[in-house]
Amino acid sequence: SFNTTTGELSGTPTAIGTAGNDVVIEATNSEGMDTQSFTIQVNGVAPVITSTAVTTATAGQLYTYTVTATGNPTPTFSVTGNPSWLTMSGSVLSGTPSAGDIGTTGNITLTATNGQSPDDTQSFQIQVSGQAPTITSTAIITATAGTPYSYTVTATGIPAPTLSASGLPAWLTFDSM
């Protein structure tokens, strides 16, 4: 818009590129007229990653980090240095680490790009931990004198847990395999 009283030309562009036709400003008085003609080039806004990376993961469980960023046009994302279990799809970095991935990953670098300079990057590492053991079997708590008793203990965890027993009566043995 143009305020003829103050001479201010103002507005908010909605798209990147050339802002339409040439703008023509005229100044007139009793002595004559002068014009100024120009085209406004509307630039975008460089991307800035605004989210904080998730830096912990658990083996055997899905890791997810949704990357957010500002910028115009809307940024797209890419990743380098990611371990094989971790992939980028759109703005989501995800994957499931295994027992072999326990420890700290190398440097992972996310890049936000939208055609405006500069691109923005975020580098981080992920600490992958194991899963605590959980006994998944249900104990057989009754036995009959003179009849063999057997209970197979099962447990989950990453890395695979080892089993042990204590407080056994003299007639009972435990084979941890």
Side-chain angles (χ1 to χ4, degrees):
S1 65
F2 183 67
N3 184 321
T4 58
T5 304
T6 64
E8 180 180 19
L9 181 65
S10 64
T12 302
T14 58
I16 298 171
T18 303
N21 303 328
D22 284 345
V23 176
V24 178
I25 305 292
E26 292 182 4
T28 57
N29 65 16
S30 62
E31 299 299 317
M33 179 180 79
D34 189 23
T35 61
Q36 182 183 56
S37 179
F38 56 94
T39 301
I40 300 172
Q41 174 64 38
V42 179
N43 297 320
V45 177
V48 175
I49 297 173
T50 57
S51 54
T52 301
V54 178
T55 58
T56 59
T58 302
Q61 294 181 0
L62 180 64
Y63 165 94
T64 301
Y65 168 36
T66 301
V67 185
T68 57
T70 59
N72 187 356
T74 301
T76 58
F77 303 99
S78 61
V79 62
T80 59
N82 51 309
S84 61
W85 59 268
L86 195 59
T87 58
M88 187 96 202
S89 178
S91 64
V92 178
L93 187 63
S94 65
T96 303
S98 66
D101 299 313
I102 293 174
T104 303
T105 65
N107 288 326
I108 299 166
T109 301
L110 293 171
T111 302
T113 305
N114 69 352
Q116 306 300 306
S117 292
D119 293 342
D120 194 21
T121 61
Q122 180 182 69
S123 294
F124 58 97
Q125 296 178 319
I126 299 172
Q127 176 62 45
V128 179
S129 61
Q131 287 184 20
T134 300
I135 296 175
T136 57
S137 55
T138 302
I140 299 170
I141 60 172
T142 59
T144 303
T147 303
Y149 170 90
S150 178
Y151 163 49
T152 301
V153 180
T154 58
T156 61
I158 299 176
T162 57
L163 301 172
S164 62
S166 62
L168 302 176
W171 60 267
L172 192 59
T173 61
F174 183 72
D175 179 6
S176 64
M177 294 185 220

